[in-house]
Amino acid sequence: MSLAPLAGAAAQAAPLVDPGTLLSTGGAVDGLQTAARVLAEGIGKAAVYFTIAVGLTLVFGLMGVLNFAHGAVAMVGAYLGGLVLVLFVGANTGTLATILVFFVALALVFAVTTAAGSAMEVALIRPIYDRTPTYQILLTFGVSLIIEEVARIVLTLRGIQPNPQWQAPMGTAPDVLLGRTELLGVGVRRLYLFEVAIGALVAVAVWAFLTKTLYGLYIRAGSEDTEMVQALGIDVRQAFTVVFGVGTGLAAVGGVLLMWDPIWGPSVLLSIDVLLYAFVVVIIGGLGSFTGTLVAAGIVGIADSVTTWLFTTGIVTFPGLSEVTIFLLLVVMLIIRPQGLYGVEEVGGH
Amino acid sequence: MTTLELDGVHTYYGESHILQGLSLSVEEGEIVALVGRNGVGKTTTLRTALGLTPPREGTVRFDGTDVTGMEPHEIAARGMGWVPEERRVFSHLTVAENLRVAAHSAADSDARIAEAYELFPALDRFSDKEAGDLSGGQQQMLAIARGMVGDNDLLLVDEPSEGLAPQIVEDVVEALRAASADTTMVLVEQNFRLAMDLADRFYLVDHGVVVEEGETAGVTSEDERIRRYLTA
């Protein structure tokens, strides 16, 4: 199974900062600069982890539904976003226009998958709310398998995949995002800075939705006590539909974000990779907690960054160090605080 | 005009038959107390009225409309408010946010919230504080205020004095009196004296049916017809 997509090897191939600069010219490790580099890389990874996890936590927070189709939707998002980019960006397309197309793709994919997610909630999830969570898990897992297989069939028929990443969308990334830029003396990959910006944008948008809109208020109240919210005259089922749709849309936005990323990129395997890492982040942060997801994404990002640095500098030669560390964090959290950093013992439900 | 009418309702939790043909009616402007021992179906009566635990038989009418089988949010949106047992404030939301959720449907929500703050100055002081950080008495005030700001014609109040110190109970009683000035109220209360002080009429519930009813004036827990149902 590929954990972080192409994790060990690919992470080594395309780290946020240039591995060659990790050691000072004299051969001794420059502690402060190295720490800055590892931190910068950690923030970049955290932005990605946050973006792929936030939709999952939103859905669980209000509805108590563990959406196992979350990763598959991210995979669809990566392909759809890639398709838009491949269709509308050519060799002569300028940087600004390409980035504009990227945002159009982001909005388009979000709109389409949000609508599809809402329809899925009404048609498939709603009829089984009164059953045990096992039914929801089996259903969403089944949906995930169907989406993956359909994707595999379409890609095989089109001669695109299944195995290697679809390279065409990555080729549409504008030059301005391909190189490195000096930031406080550290060579940081511009694509990761772009991902940090998108991650921050998603975080601010979700935060504003939750705290500044009446609907967000319903969702936060509903994540504590859905029955009480209903007793206040609010149609929680309608809120479920909206939240499931938005959660699905955010999964797809995560996919679009990963489309240009050489470590991830569009592939059918993205489905399981995204799902695993999203679960790690939301479980460590506390299922249903926005703040928890943000903090956990930071922790997992930094852990990933530190372990990647240990591997790329040869201090540790085990290539799976990063994955092992991240999943070890998950295990430790489940043992010492099963509800996660910011989680409550019972959330959501209906 | 009859605000709430339950007619021969049978309500179950799974296979447990809780309300066994209970009937009652509440007239506009009244405070009606439901009294009885623990576990006889008082809270279930409120839950049945609001559709949270719908009856399998019988009808619930609210303001003349049959609301049996309607979703709780539909019934609540018609003007039935609930101040539940154990308060159930949204502990991670601020006081102001708790009130905003409750006042969502009121046309003049800001004015209603301002009125609630006037009535409960402590809530105004702590409006930016998370409800979970309030004391038990303050949380009860918030639960009542939440019921008041929601443009309700009827307020179902469940065990408002439960777990509160005597001094705080007095404040809660005053708050309920204030709330009842423009809202009809059904009150479930273990404290018999308090219930009789507040209410105009009472229903005594036992084993899921009404066994006694009448005006509250002059009624004490020592009356033989009451005592035999209140003692175990």
Side-chain angles (χ1 to χ4, degrees):
Chain A
M1 180 193 302
S2 106
L3 288 175
L6 313 178
Q12 189 182 6
L16 175 65
V17 295
D18 183 359
T21 66
L22 286 171
L23 296 175
S24 69
T25 49
V29 177
D30 179 342
L32 208 57
Q33 268 212 327
T34 302
R37 287 172 192 137
V38 171
L39 184 67
E41 183 171 354
I43 292 169
K45 288 173 182 288
V48 170
Y49 289 136
F50 172 79
T51 310
I52 62 176
V54 67
L56 191 67
T57 204
L58 207 60
V59 167
F60 189 84
L62 176 68
M63 305 167 65
V65 172
L66 278 173
N67 180 13
F68 274 70
H70 186 83
V73 175
M75 179 263 291
V76 170
Y79 278 112
L80 288 181
L83 187 66
V84 173
L85 266 293
V86 168
L87 287 176
F88 294 100
V89 174
N92 298 324
T93 311
T95 298
L96 202 62
T98 304
I99 290 176
L100 193 68
V101 173
F102 174 87
F103 279 105
V104 168
L106 205 68
L108 210 63
V109 169
F110 178 73
V112 168
T113 50
T114 295
S118 299
M120 178 179 161
E121 192 276 337
V122 171
L124 302 178
I125 313 276
R126 189 173 288 188
I128 58 166
Y129 276 136
D130 295 333
R131 303 205 183 175
T132 62
T134 312
Y135 283 85
Q136 295 154 11
I137 291 169
L138 288 174
L139 177 85
T140 54
F141 186 63
V143 169
S144 169
L145 292 179
I146 291 169
I147 293 173
E148 279 181 35
E149 285 313 308
V150 168
R152 224 182 285 273
I153 290 166
V154 170
L155 296 168
T156 305
L157 286 177
R158 303 287 302 172
I160 295 171
Q161 280 186 322
N163 293 326
Q165 289 162 308
W166 183 32
Q167 300 293 330
M170 284 184 248
T172 63
D175 290 344
V176 71
L177 297 182
L178 295 181
R180 293 173 190 279
T181 198
E182 283 285 314
L183 208 64
L184 301 172
V186 179
V188 183
R189 297 186 69 222
R190 290 186 203 126
L191 182 59
Y192 284 87
L193 291 177
F194 183 68
E195 288 178 349
V196 170
I198 299 292
L201 199 68
V202 169
V204 169
V206 173
W207 174 83
F209 173 64
L210 288 175
T211 60
K212 304 293 177 194
T213 68
L214 200 55
Y215 231 92
L217 197 56
Y218 298 166
I219 291 166
R220 287 191 295 137
S223 70
E224 287 195 46
D225 191 337
T226 47
E227 187 179 73
M228 191 65 232
V229 169
Q230 287 183 80
L232 292 172
I234 295 159
D235 184 356
V236 169
R237 291 289 163 97
Q238 195 182 61
F240 283 180
T241 306
V242 171
V243 167
F244 198 85
V246 170
T248 307
L250 286 171
V253 164
V256 178
L257 181 63
L258 301 177
M259 169 198 66
W260 273 342
D261 192 324
I263 295 179
W264 300 78
S267 78
V268 175
L269 293 175
L270 196 63
S271 170
I272 189 71
D273 294 327
V274 166
L275 186 66
L276 281 174
Y277 278 88
F279 265 119
V280 170
V281 169
V282 298
I283 290 171
I284 290 176
L287 282 161
S289 166
F290 173 78
T291 311
T293 302
L294 201 58
V295 172
I299 291 171
V300 173
I302 298 289
D304 190 357
S305 164
V306 169
T307 48
T308 301
W309 173 77
L310 288 172
F311 177 70
T312 53
T313 51
I315 295 171
V316 176
T317 54
F318 173 53
L321 178 68
S322 181
E323 291 83 43
V324 168
T325 305
I326 290 170
F327 285 95
L328 208 57
L329 280 173
L330 172 71
V331 171
V332 169
M333 183 55 72
L334 284 173
I335 291 170
I336 62 169
R337 195 175 160 83
Q339 71 271 35
L341 291 172
Y342 289 81
V344 289
E345 292 193 15
E346 274 186 47
V347 297
H350 20 76
Chain B
M1 182 189 170
T2 303
T3 298
L4 177 69
E5 190 177 0
L6 271 66
D7 187 8
V9 294
H10 288 260
T11 303
Y12 295 72
Y13 288 122
E15 291 308 306
S16 300
H17 193 174
I18 308 299
L19 300 187
Q20 304 183 10
L22 183 139
S23 299
L24 59 79
S25 68
V26 179
E27 300 301 314
E28 188 177 350
E30 277 190 313
I31 302 182
V32 170
L34 297 185
V35 292
R37 284 173 301 180
N38 272 335
V40 297
K42 302 186 299 294
T43 294
T44 306
T45 302
L46 301 191
R47 293 181 59 86
T48 298
L50 195 50
L52 294 167
T53 310
R56 288 192 197 167
E57 286 178 51
T59 54
V60 178
R61 274 183 289 276
F62 178 47
D63 279 342
T65 305
D66 186 348
V67 295
T68 320
M70 280 190 187
E71 290 288 322
H73 72 90
E74 292 173 314
I75 300 174
R78 288 171 174 269
M80 195 185 296
W82 186 39
V83 180
E85 201 175 4
E86 296 172 351
R87 277 87 70 174
R88 290 173 69 173
V89 294
F90 303 115
S91 56
H92 294 297
L93 265 55
T94 65
V95 168
E97 286 173 332
N98 267 273
L99 294 177
R100 270 180 56 217
V101 176
H104 69 98
S105 61
D108 51 348
S109 59
D110 288 343
R112 285 178 166 274
I113 291 171
E115 274 176 36
Y117 283 148
E118 241 174 71
L119 195 62
F120 307 110
L123 297 183
D124 194 10
R125 265 199 317 281
F126 300 128
S127 63
D128 290 331
K129 200 169 174 177
E130 284 194 357
D133 295 334
L134 300 178
S135 69
Q138 289 164 344
Q139 286 190 5
Q140 187 63 67
M141 299 293 181
L142 177 57
I144 295 169
R146 201 171 54 178
M148 291 171 65
V149 298
D151 202 9
N152 293 314
D153 301 324
L154 172 68
L155 208 51
L156 310 174
V157 185
D158 199 354
E159 302 284 7
S161 71
E162 190 183 35
L164 300 180
Q167 176 57 44
I168 305 297
V169 171
E170 282 178 31
D171 295 342
V172 168
V173 168
E174 285 314 306
L176 289 173
R177 275 193 216 285
S180 68
D182 33 44
T183 310
T184 307
M185 195 178 287
V186 178
L187 173 71
V188 166
E189 179 55 59
Q190 277 290 317
N191 183 332
F192 187 82
R193 190 184 57 78
L194 190 154
M196 293 304 108
D197 279 354
L198 259 174
D200 304 305
R201 284 195 305 122
F202 76 94
Y203 285 97
L204 177 60
V205 181
D206 193 57
H207 289 101
V209 290
V210 170
V211 290
E212 287 288 346
E213 62 177 282
E215 305 285 326
T216 55
V219 175
T220 73
S221 56
E222 295 311 308
D223 288 2
E224 182 53 30
R225 61 179 182 140
I226 305 291
R227 195 178 60 82
R228 63 188 166 129
Y229 288 111
L230 292 184
T231 51

